[in-house]
Each structure stands twice: as structure tokens, then as C-alpha cells.
């Protein structure tokens, strides 16, 4: 099978080539260009294409892929809200993803954000680099003995629950489906979790039901809020309003709305068209990272391995059901 990888960074290429030694029947082509309606023509002669979470794969893109003979869309990520699934089905394109690569990678990054913003690590680092060793503006909070509210207890959310439990926190959660493995977690309605929690961390998918969920007004004062899932789970204007009204002790974001043009790109020389990033970065109690929660050696290896396994399974007619998006 010949697969074309769109928007491939050097770390993607290195990781996939290391794993591809175990899959000699797969031929790979790597492109810097993202998958769009115009670049879909480059997939001519390829049975499969591989894209990432930052690509917007619309019906028109899928139609172009179909016209060029593509049968398989491999998402080297867990999320697929950026794919028009109905259109994929219409054009007979099978969509496979990587549902679980390294839940701990994202959960550990979420806790890193929570700790950094709570203990003002970002501010302390800058002060000390300028030989300022005063403690003004660096007052933090203890997590031990506090309540952690985890929204979504799938693989990543469950990992975050275990981390918070290890910190000596009371862990409560909201999910449509309760995780039976988390016997130390108490489940409550979403509104109660938001009202009771000192730390709130989002670990749920973006769906029509979860888009812009009303959350900020229900949170308690001085709460620490972390989002490593999808930016559109929270209305950015509401979030900024909450920050300005001093609702939060700190906010840690690995995702945010309107991040599409920024994800994985170096834009140091650009004037950013959107003011969202600049507005968020203007607040002293906010840390924004570059959608890097997944970015560990272990996670990249797992993503590469599972993606190639998906391709081989498709070729053999033995699709791994939990990896298929319908």
C-alpha cells in the first residue's frame, strides 16, 4: 500500500520511518503541505492518505480524494471532529484513527499546566532570569486536600484522575459513561462538579452537544482551569470575561479557539490576524502552550505504530473496530 502523509514535520517522518521497518509492504510519501482541496490531487496513485488533527477535511476535500482513488483516511490522532464523516461514508472512504496512544502524555501535560500556573512558574522563571529573586506576585495554592473535577473519564481523563488522586486530592468527575476502574472517583452532574472543584480539567471530545458548553459562570471563585482537549469546548469570550473578573487563580491552555493557523507552525515574524492568542497571553495568570500535550517520544511511537497497523489491517480486510470512525 502507498500512503501519502500530509503536513508531515521532521519528527513525524523520523517516528514513522523508525516504525515502518516493521511494515515492509507500506510505501510512504511525506509532504510539508496540509491536506486541502487543492493538495488532494497529490494523492493520485495512493490508496491511503494520512492527516493530523490540525487538518480540516471537508466534504469537498474527501470528494477530491475519492476522485483520485483514495480508499483510506488515516488520522494520526484520536480526535476526528475535523473530518466530515458523512461525506467519507458517501465516497466510500474508510476513516481510521488512533484512539489511545499515550493517555499519560496528555494527562501529565495537563497537570504540568495546572502546577505551573498555580505556582506561577512562568513568572518566577522570567523574574529569576532578570536577577529578580523577590516573591511578589508568585503566591500559589496547595493541591493536596483540594477537590479536582475531571470532565470526561476516558483514557486520558482516567489518567488525570489517578494523577490528582496521587496528589492527595479528592477527585470528582462528570461523564455520560462512568469508568468502573476509578473506584476512588465520585461522579456528579456537570453543574455540581463545576461548583465544587478547585481544579477543573477538561478531557472530553468536541461534539455538537459539548460545543461552547456553559461552564465558566458555574465555577467557584479562585478556581484553576485547564483545557488540553478541544478549544471550542469553552466559549473564549466567556473565558476572557471570567479571567478579567478574577474568577480564576490560573488558566492553563494547550488548546483554544481559533488556534488552527498557529498549530505546529513558527509564526514569530507574523502579525497574528486573530486577537484571541494575544488577549489570552496578556493575562499574568494564563499559560498557553502549543498543542503539545501529546508530544512525547512514547506517544509518537505509539501513534506511528497504530497508524501503520490500521493501514495493514485495512489492506487485509481486518479493520480494528475500535479504531474505525463511523
Amino acid at each position: 500500500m502507498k500512503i501519502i502523509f500530509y503536513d508531515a514535520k521532521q519528527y513525524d517522518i523520523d517516528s514513522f520511518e523508525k516504525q515502518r521497518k516493521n511494515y515492509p509492504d507500506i510505501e510512504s510519501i511525506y509532504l510539508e503541505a496540509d491536506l486541502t482541496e487543492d493538495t488532494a490531487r497529490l494523492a493520485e496513485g495512493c490508496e491511503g492518505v494520512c492527516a493530523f488533527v490540525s487538518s480540516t477535511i471537508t466534504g469537498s476535500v474527501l470528494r477530491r480524494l475519492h476522485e483520485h482513488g483514495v480508499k483510506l483516511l488515516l488520522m494520526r490522532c484520536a480526535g476526528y471532529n475535523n473530518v466530515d464523516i458523512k461525506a467519507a461514508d458517501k465516497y466510500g472512504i474508510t476513516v481510521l484513527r488512533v484512539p489511545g496512544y499515550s493517555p499519560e502524555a496528555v494527562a501529565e501535560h495537563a497537570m504540568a499546566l495546572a502546577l505551573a500556573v498555580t505556582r506561577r512558574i512562568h513568572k518566577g522563571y522570567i523574574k529569576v532570569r532578570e536577577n529578580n529573586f523577590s516573591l511578589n506576585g508568585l503566591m500559589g495554592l496547595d493541591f493536596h486536600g483540594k477537590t479536582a473535577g475531571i470532565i470526561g473519564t476516558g483514557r486520558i481523563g482516567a489518567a488525570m484522575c489517578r494523577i490528582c488522586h496521587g496528589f492527595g486530592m479528592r477527585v470528582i468527575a462528570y461523564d455520560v459513561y462512568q469508568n468502573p476502574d476509578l473506584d476512588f472517583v465520585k461522579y456528579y452532574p456537570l453543574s455540581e462538579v463545576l461548583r465544587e472543584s478547585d481544579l477543573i480539567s477538561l478531557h472530553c471530545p468536541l461534539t455538537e452537544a459539548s460545543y461552547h458548553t456553559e461552564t465558566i459562570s458555574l465555577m467557584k471563585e479562585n478556581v484553576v482551569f485547564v483545557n488540553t482537549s478541544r478549544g471550542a469546548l469553552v466559549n473564549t469570550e466567556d473565558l476572557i470575561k471570567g479571567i478579567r473578573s478574577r474568577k480564576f487563580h490560573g488558566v492553563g491552555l494547550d488548546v483554544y479557539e481559533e488556534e488552527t493557523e498557529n498549530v505546529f507552525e513558527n509564526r514569530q515574524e507574523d502579525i497574528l490576524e486573530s486577537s484571541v492568542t494575544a488577549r489570552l497571553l496578556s493575562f499574568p495568570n494564563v499559560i498557553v502552550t502549543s498543542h503539545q500535550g501529546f508530544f512525547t517520544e512514547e506517544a509518537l511511537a505509539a501513534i506511528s505504530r497504530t497508524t501503520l497497523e490500521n493501514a495493514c489491517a485495512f489492506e487485509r480486510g481486518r479493520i480494528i473496530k475500535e479504531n474505525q470512525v463511523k
Side-chain angles (χ1 to χ4, degrees):
M1 176 187 288
K2 183 185 290 187
I3 301 172
I4 185 167
F5 292 75
Y6 283 89
D7 194 21
K9 310 299 185 192
Q10 189 58 51
Y11 49 78
D12 293 314
I13 298 171
D14 293 343
S15 182
F16 271 96
E17 285 303 292
K18 186 180 293 185
Q19 295 294 326
R20 201 171 62 84
K21 296 173 184 177
N22 300 317
Y23 302 90
D25 294 335
I26 292 179
E27 180 183 348
S28 56
I29 300 171
Y30 300 100
L31 296 180
E32 289 186 17
D34 199 358
L35 176 55
T36 65
E37 192 172 352
D38 290 333
T39 62
R41 61 182 173 79
L42 300 174
E44 181 73 44
C46 296
E47 188 175 357
V49 301
C50 184
F52 198 48
V53 68
S54 53
S55 303
T56 302
I57 307 172
T58 62
S60 57
V61 171
L62 290 162
R63 176 172 55 81
R64 290 290 188 191
L65 291 175
H66 169 69
E67 290 171 355
H68 291 290
V70 172
K71 303 292 185 183
L72 175 65
L73 171 60
L74 295 162
M75 299 302 298
R76 56 184 189 270
C77 54
Y80 53 89
N81 57 283
N82 55 324
V83 181
D84 187 334
I85 301 302
K86 290 183 179 178
D89 184 60
K90 174 183 175 181
Y91 295 118
I93 297 176
T94 299
V95 182
L96 300 175
R97 65 183 181 121
V98 184
Y101 36 92
S102 177
E104 289 75 21
V106 181
E108 288 175 12
H109 189 73
M111 180 52 83
L113 282 172
L115 288 169
V117 77
T118 300
R119 299 305 302 267
R120 309 298 194 226
I121 301 298
H122 58 306
K123 296 181 68 178
Y125 172 75
I126 293 171
K127 286 172 64 120
V128 170
R129 281 182 63 86
E130 296 177 350
N131 294 328
N132 180 353
F133 301 96
S134 74
L135 298 181
N136 294 334
L138 303 182
M139 182 68 72
L141 298 171
D142 289 352
F143 277 157
H144 182 83
K146 298 287 193 350
T147 298
I150 311 302
I151 314 301
T153 54
R155 296 179 183 182
I156 297 172
M160 186 61 171
C161 286
R162 288 190 286 269
I163 291 172
C164 292
H165 185 60
F167 270 72
M169 303 185 77
R170 170 189 175 229
V171 184
I172 62 176
Y174 168 77
D175 200 318
V176 176
Y177 305 102
Q178 298 187 10
N179 191 329
D181 296 329
L182 303 174
D183 57 359
F184 57 90
V185 174
K186 299 293 184 184
Y187 283 87
Y188 293 100
L190 178 60
S191 58
E192 286 190 46
V193 174
L194 294 173
R195 290 191 182 98
E196 290 191 29
S197 300
D198 302 290
L199 164 64
I200 294 172
S201 190
L202 302 187
H203 300 283
C204 46
L206 178 63
T207 64
E208 289 185 13
S210 63
Y211 177 80
H212 278 189
T213 305
E214 178 61 34
T215 55
I216 305 299
S217 63
L218 298 177
M219 297 179 189
K220 65 163 59 175
E221 299 299 312
N222 212 35
V223 66
V224 176
F225 174 68
V226 174
N227 187 4
T228 55
S229 293
R230 290 290 182 268
L233 290 170
V234 177
N235 186 312
T236 303
E237 291 303 322
D238 290 346
L239 178 62
I240 290 173
K241 188 182 299 183
I243 296 168
R244 285 178 170 158
S245 66
R246 294 175 170 77
K247 162 77 77 172
F248 303 99
H249 176 79
V251 174
L253 304 174
D254 193 43
V255 294
Y256 51 93
E257 287 192 284
E258 299 178 25
E259 69 175 341
T260 305
E261 296 299 319
N262 299 339
V263 174
F264 314 130
E265 301 299 332
N266 182 353
R267 305 195 64 194
Q268 287 179 310
E269 303 301 321
D270 296 351
I271 296 175
L272 300 183
E273 297 88 351
S274 168
S275 65
V276 169
T277 309
R279 289 163 73 191
L280 289 170
L281 290 173
S282 70
F283 301 112
N285 61 338
V286 175
I287 294 179
V288 178
T289 53
S290 54
H291 207 119
Q292 67 189 73
F294 78 100
F295 198 55
T296 65
E297 292 181 7
E298 295 83 355
L300 282 180
I303 288 170
S304 302
R305 187 167 52 251
T306 302
T307 301
L308 295 173
E309 285 285 356
N310 280 339
C312 289
F314 175 81
E315 186 77 353
R316 300 182 191 124
R318 300 175 182 174
I319 293 174
I320 304 168
K321 289 186 178 180
E322 69 170 342
N323 295 1
Q324 184 172 12
V325 178
K326 296 181 179 180

